[in-house]
Amino acid sequence: MPKDTSIKCILIIGSGPIVIGQACEFDYAGSQAARSIREEGIKVILINSNPATIMTDPSMADHVYLKPLTTKSIIEILKDHPEIDAVLPTMGGQTALNLCLEADEKGIWSDFNVRLIGVDVKAINITEDREQFKQLLEKIGIPAAPAKTANSFLKGKEIAQEFGFPLVIRPSFTLGGTGAAFVHKKEDFDELLTRGLEASPIHEVLIDKALFGWKEYELELLRDKNDNVVIICSIENMDPMGIHTGDSITVAPAMTLSDTTFQKMRDMAILMMRSIGNFAGGCNVQFAVSPDDKEDIVAIEINPRVSRSSALASKATGYPIAKIASKLALGYNLDELQNQITKSTSALFEPTLDYVIVKIPRWNFDKFEGADRTLGLQMKSVGEVMGIGRSFQEALHKATQSLEIKRNGLGADGKGYTNYEQIIDKLTHASWDRVFVIYDAIQMGIPLSRIHEITQIDMWFLKQYEELYLLEKEISGLTIDTLPKELLLEAKQKGFADRQIAHMLQCKESDVYNKREELGVKRVYKLVDTCAAEFEAKTPYYYSTFEAEIERADGTRYVHNESIVSDRKKVVVLGSGPNRIGQGIEFDYSCVHGVLAAAECGYETIMINCNPETVSTDFDTADKLYFEPVFWEHIYDIIRHEKPEGVIVQLGGQTALKLAEKLDRYGIKILGTSFDALDLAEDRGRFSDLLTELNIPFPKFGIAESADEASVLAETLDFPLLVRPSYVLGGQGMKIVINKQELEEHVIDLLKSIPGNKLLLDHYLDGAIEAEADAICDGEDVYIIGIMEHIEPCGVHSGDSNATLPPFNLGEFVMQQIKDHTKKIALALKTVGLINIQFAIKDDIVYIIEANPRASRTVPFIAKAYGEPYVNYATKVMLGDKKIKDFTFNPQLKGYAIKQPVFSFNKFPRVNKKLGPEMKSTGESILFIDDLKDDQFYELYSRRKMYLSK
């Protein structure tokens, strides 16, 4: 039993909607915490306003409150649940900590006799208040960068005068580096100081001397109430100080640190954690180290909560940080808890890595027109990927292949930069694609010493890059027939994809694959086991690599594969890769529910995904987890190894859907809706023919491949026109144009950025109402799970619209058309599983905008609003285990649920904030109202046309 038996009920605070700087890693943390606490027989009450998460699933807690994260909501919950003894605020990021502090200041916790566990108020205050933190470091003798606090403009000017430039400004109590900035020259200081003071809720900034070019490290720690501390993971930033760690390429374990400095850093981290307060839980400490032989260490900051890095460290080591941190908060000691992976060592046993992980952030600058794309102290990425390999080079390649930005890895794909000025500029002003530009620079012949001088990236990393380039050069001089096995094996061990090797040898990808098969250069799978194989692992969490053959005493040769294939029937679920605008946490929700439903149907479940922030990549979600890029070559090898009954592609968003054609071509069974039906819905011409056949109206449209064709089409279609490329996500490149000049500019622009793409031109139904329906179909029957009406007019992307469930002012005649169209289309597409259809309504006629036979962004929202497990049902239909008529549907919703998009425009001060057909929101929240007289609905409705941009 937990040592503290007085705790019977705990409130967990979530992190709210996803914004840049705070993403789905807190869904992973909250979900693990809730499960961990309930295992102890303790009741869990949970508050979070984000409907797309697993943690807000009814099964995760005894009571889930989808309410705004405010002290008003907290008071309502505490009144409803007088049995709450304690609150755990460390699983919900900065949002939860700030809310917890506010409730403490207002005396709410003491009024209701609720105590804080996992952290204490003193620790939050010390770590968040830059001045207090600086004083603490001085007291315990840990070096910090020279810094002073300013809480007025005048004070800030005085400090700048004293320190000189360059400087760093960091606001107190903010998230993801909001408002932080480097000030290189005096002229920029006033504006950046004002921005910093405004960004801080207490209008306070820390101004410190810039540690340019210093190396940056992070340590993840856990501490129990007996003051035992374990260091779970050391993480090194490949990028030097000056780039927010969320925007840095990071590597674990640390690569370029001497052992003595590492030991010193460990001691400092432990001392810091012990001195910020008396609490049991998780913590993340960041350090800067001078790049010379002295390796001076300076402490930067400490976060007394699980963070984005904890999710990364958890996935990197296999050590479930949030789960163990929750147990520690209940009073357990580390030596009383079991390592969840080996089941035979204790949680006090520090993980050891016999592999390397590389995390690369995923940006979405294309959605923020006019955004400053250089990287700095303020985080700008919307997601991240992680690659696991036996070497840094292999992990780096796997991470770049996971990004889904049409690159096959580093180099060898014909997409690198070749202009000297451009390369130097991108290295000088840290750019989002710097990971690729370093390779281009080496390829161009720019010396490593020059690249190091500009970027300050450690020479060790640059030499790793150089080795990759030299190998590419060597292979490029050969042909597929003259390539020796040793060289092919070396290229695969260093992470080069078959596609890249084919590019070097000027042959087809399949030729390289066949050559590998012929020479026996095959992937093997290794366990992530937390202990470098010192103890047997019980957890099926795998990554792939390549090994040279081992020769036995009897002369036979083999490679050691740790992934044992069972004889059970299996199903593979393809994950959705990195979070990005248009494809976020809602697909992780769908994948997790798909896995659980398949398990209920008796299948062994296999998850493939590369996003370290998610619940789907938790090692105990599926029966087997392959932490691999959702990239054809990796998937095909896993499928050949495991031989599943089939693959589910409709739960992982566009990422999984894009692989359907390949799967179909290679004869791999797609479970649920067939590839042909998926393609028919994507192919505008075929889909329109189908609608014509079904006698269903759609806006007039045409297809153009050049500006001339577009101009001719415009004559027949009438302006305004909606112009968009085909096969894209989140409305990328969509625009409403109102005359020929605008049309020509946009078409030329699109064809330049997406060459060879077909462009769709639709007559835009000006002033139409937009609605959408989600349904489950089993090929015979259709059940509509929800119809939503958008508050904004047609033309604002559905992901950026406030939408109500059920609709608030569509008449019976219109509703009947929506239902009829949905059923007809679902059956005509031979849908088996989920489908989402979007409509435009004008003059009481319902037009079809598009149909997507897959899980959509709105499915989790509808499931939460109605309290029904729709993804579970849909998966059972896909697997042929159940039919629609086998389910008893019983949706429960009083009043209305409103889906409210959340934007991260504050990260991009000069960006155009107008909304249009291209999606820009990073997350969403759910709002329940009793009726349409509610003030919040009235306000949304009155502002609905304000942001529409053409």
Side-chain angles (χ1 to χ4, degrees), residues 320-595:
I321 293 174
K323 198 176 245 180
I324 301 292
S326 311
K327 300 266 197 218
L328 301 179
L330 297 176
Y332 273 109
N333 292 328
L334 281 159
D335 53 353
E336 295 174 314
L337 298 170
Q338 213 180 36
N339 176 321
Q340 308 277 311
I341 279 192
T342 61
K343 307 280 188 198
S344 60
T345 55
S346 90
L348 191 53
F349 197 88
E350 289 192 354
T352 313
L353 275 58
D354 55 355
Y355 48 83
V356 180
I357 74 107
V358 172
K359 173 214 90 180
I360 303 180
R362 173 71 161 78
W363 291 272
N364 243 149
F365 288 121
D366 49 343
K367 299 284 183 190
F368 300 103
E369 218 175 298
D372 172 9
R373 294 179 177 221
T374 53
L375 307 180
L377 293 173
Q378 187 160 302
M379 185 172 160
K380 294 175 181 178
S381 62
V382 290
E384 62 192 30
V385 296
M386 181 176 103
I388 312 180
R390 273 287 157 106
S391 64
F392 166 72
Q393 291 162 330
E394 185 180 27
L396 180 68
H397 256 134
K398 283 169 87 173
T400 53
Q401 285 152 8
S402 302
L403 284 168
E404 291 180 53
I405 52 171
K406 299 189 173 71
R407 294 298 296 258
N408 297 329
L410 293 175
D413 62 358
K415 292 183 178 170
Y417 292 103
T418 50
N419 176 307
Y420 176 80
E421 271 77 29
Q422 194 176 16
I423 289 174
I424 293 292
D425 182 64
K426 278 185 163 289
L427 291 177
T428 310
H429 305 102
S431 62
W432 65 273
D433 53 359
R434 181 149 83 157
V435 63
F436 298 100
V437 178
I438 294 166
Y439 196 90
D440 301 339
I442 293 170
Q443 202 162 12
M444 180 171 271
I446 298 171
L448 295 191
S449 55
R450 175 87 174 106
I451 300 171
H452 171 70
E453 183 193 325
I454 299 171
T455 63
Q456 296 292 308
I457 291 172
D458 193 280
M459 214 47 166
W460 184 85
F461 292 113
L462 300 179
K463 287 206 165 94
Q464 296 283 308
Y465 264 92
E466 186 180 47
E467 274 180 28
L468 289 174
Y469 167 63
L470 293 172
L471 181 61
E472 180 189 339
K473 204 165 135 186
E474 190 178 349
I475 293 174
S476 298
L478 302 166
T479 66
I480 187 80
D481 300 320
T482 59
L483 178 68
K485 179 177 177 177
E486 294 68 40
L487 217 48
L488 177 58
L489 177 63
E490 188 186 346
K492 295 308 290 180
Q493 286 181 320
K494 292 193 166 173
F496 280 110
D498 288 353
R499 271 176 215 180
Q500 291 174 288
I501 298 169
H503 184 272
M504 298 172 205
L505 299 168
Q506 295 180 321
C507 64
K508 294 206 295 282
E509 182 182 358
S510 53
D511 296 339
V512 178
Y513 194 86
N514 296 336
K515 176 93 174 180
R516 282 207 289 118
E517 288 286 296
E518 183 195 314
L519 296 175
V521 177
K522 294 185 181 178
R523 269 194 172 78
V524 290
Y525 296 97
K526 299 289 179 188
L527 273 165
V528 172
D529 62 8
T530 79
C531 60
E534 198 177 329
F535 297 89
E536 190 189 342
K538 299 278 192 284
T539 301
Y541 172 11
Y542 301 97
Y543 67 95
S544 72
T545 190
F546 288 84
E547 279 187 348
E549 289 173 326
I550 306 160
E551 191 167 320
R552 290 190 178 94
D554 62 3
T556 55
R557 302 172 75 82
Y558 77 105
V559 284
H560 182 49
N561 194 336
E562 294 177 2
S563 173
I564 312 298
V565 178
S566 76
D567 53 9
R568 292 176 60 195
K569 57 176 188 172
K570 307 172 185 62
V571 61
V572 166
V573 177
L574 292 185
S576 57
N579 271 17
R580 67 215 92 144
I581 290 174
Q583 185 170 299
I585 187 176
E586 59 282 349
F587 294 107
D588 182 52
Y589 169 95
S590 297
C591 286
V592 171
H593 276 283
V595 162

Side-chain angles (χ1 to χ4, degrees), residues 520-706:
V521 177
K522 294 185 181 178
R523 269 194 172 78
V524 290
Y525 296 97
K526 299 289 179 188
L527 273 165
V528 172
D529 62 8
T530 79
C531 60
E534 198 177 329
F535 297 89
E536 190 189 342
K538 299 278 192 284
T539 301
Y541 172 11
Y542 301 97
Y543 67 95
S544 72
T545 190
F546 288 84
E547 279 187 348
E549 289 173 326
I550 306 160
E551 191 167 320
R552 290 190 178 94
D554 62 3
T556 55
R557 302 172 75 82
Y558 77 105
V559 284
H560 182 49
N561 194 336
E562 294 177 2
S563 173
I564 312 298
V565 178
S566 76
D567 53 9
R568 292 176 60 195
K569 57 176 188 172
K570 307 172 185 62
V571 61
V572 166
V573 177
L574 292 185
S576 57
N579 271 17
R580 67 215 92 144
I581 290 174
Q583 185 170 299
I585 187 176
E586 59 282 349
F587 294 107
D588 182 52
Y589 169 95
S590 297
C591 286
V592 171
H593 276 283
V595 162
L596 300 176
E600 284 171 25
C601 297
Y603 286 88
E604 180 178 334
T605 54
I606 296 164
M607 184 75 219
I608 307 175
N609 203 5
C610 54
N611 184 340
E613 303 177 322
T614 57
V615 178
S616 64
T617 51
D618 249 2
F619 60 77
D620 52 2
T621 295
D623 291 316
K624 269 183 156 178
L625 165 67
Y626 284 94
F627 204 108
E628 291 284 279
V630 189
F631 186 80
W632 172 250
E633 180 185 323
H634 295 272
I635 286 160
Y636 188 50
D637 277 347
I638 294 166
I639 289 169
R640 289 193 62 184
H641 178 62
E642 290 283 356
K643 302 181 180 54
E645 305 284 309
V647 179
I648 293 179
V649 297
Q650 47 172 298
L651 300 176
Q654 203 72 21
T655 297
L657 220 54
K658 276 193 291 211
L659 290 157
E661 184 187 1
K662 268 268 177 74
L663 292 166
D664 188 63
R665 202 183 327 143
Y666 279 78
I668 296 157
K669 188 177 180 195
I670 292 170
L671 296 166
T673 311
S674 70
F675 165 68
D676 186 56
L678 299 172
D679 188 58
L680 193 147
E682 282 280 1
D683 184 323
R684 208 46 207 279
R686 285 178 71 196
F687 184 54
S688 304
D689 293 344
L690 176 76
L691 293 176
T692 308
E693 216 176 287
L694 296 171
N695 200 16
I696 294 175
F698 54 91
K700 288 187 296 179
F701 84 101
I703 294 171
E705 292 184 36
S706 68

Side-chain angles (χ1 to χ4, degrees), residues 770-836:
E770 197 168 333
E772 59 186 302
D774 281 286
I776 304 173
C777 177
D778 60 13
E780 294 160 19
D781 292 312
V782 179
Y783 176 76
I784 296 175
I785 64 173
I787 297 172
M788 297 169 72
E789 179 184 354
H790 296 188
I791 294 175
E792 283 79 5
C794 191
V796 172
H797 189 281
S798 62
D800 285 355
S801 301
N802 288 279
T804 65
L805 180 77
F808 58 94
N809 73 348
L810 298 180
E812 216 166 293
F813 176 59
V814 167
M815 286 297 278
Q816 197 54 52
Q817 286 178 71
I818 288 176
K819 289 171 190 170
D820 294 345
H821 293 348
T822 302
K823 288 181 177 173
K824 271 189 192 171
I825 292 169
L827 292 169
L829 285 173
K830 301 186 180 65
T831 308
V832 179
L834 288 155
I835 184 165
N836 167 271

